[in-house]
Amino acid sequence: MEWLFASLMNAGYLRRSHLIWDLGEQDWKQVALAGLQRDEPVFLYRCNDRPSLPPEHCCWRLMTEYPSLIIYQLEVLER
């Protein structure tokens, strides 16, 4: 988590961000959509074999900077 905090600080982001722990059948989409609407970053920590389905018109981008390759950032797809 230190890596994620340092990345946000380095990018000059000083507001709220959201970290979602993907444990399967959680209803996290409202939190994610609210964060995106407020222009706050949303991250997923994947505990399963693959990440949960993102909200409509969004995708999970793998954060390759993180050594374990299990953290994703939610991004809006270009239309």
Side-chain angles (χ1 to χ4, degrees):
M1 296 299 100
E2 291 177 21
W3 163 86
L4 186 56
F5 177 72
S7 296
L8 290 169
M9 294 297 289
N10 190 41
Y13 188 83
L14 303 174
R15 298 184 306 188
R16 186 175 182 178
S17 62
H18 306 271
L19 180 60
I20 297 168
W21 298 87
D22 180 16
L23 299 175
E25 297 298 320
Q26 294 179 325
D27 185 17
W28 52 267
K29 289 185 181 181
Q30 291 303 319
V31 173
L33 290 173
L36 286 175
Q37 289 173 342
R38 292 189 297 262
D39 200 28
E40 300 166 347
V42 177
F43 300 95
L44 170 77
Y45 183 90
R46 177 179 54 79
C47 298
N48 298 321
D49 292 341
R50 64 177 73 156
S52 295
L53 292 174
E56 190 174 337
H57 306 296
C58 296
C59 68
W60 290 115
R61 182 178 66 83
L62 180 64
M63 303 294 292
T64 56
E65 303 91 338
Y66 192 70
S68 69
L69 299 178
I70 55 176
I71 292 185
Y72 300 78
Q73 182 171 7
L74 188 63
E75 296 184 351
V76 177
L77 293 171
E78 298 285 328
R79 293 186 188 191

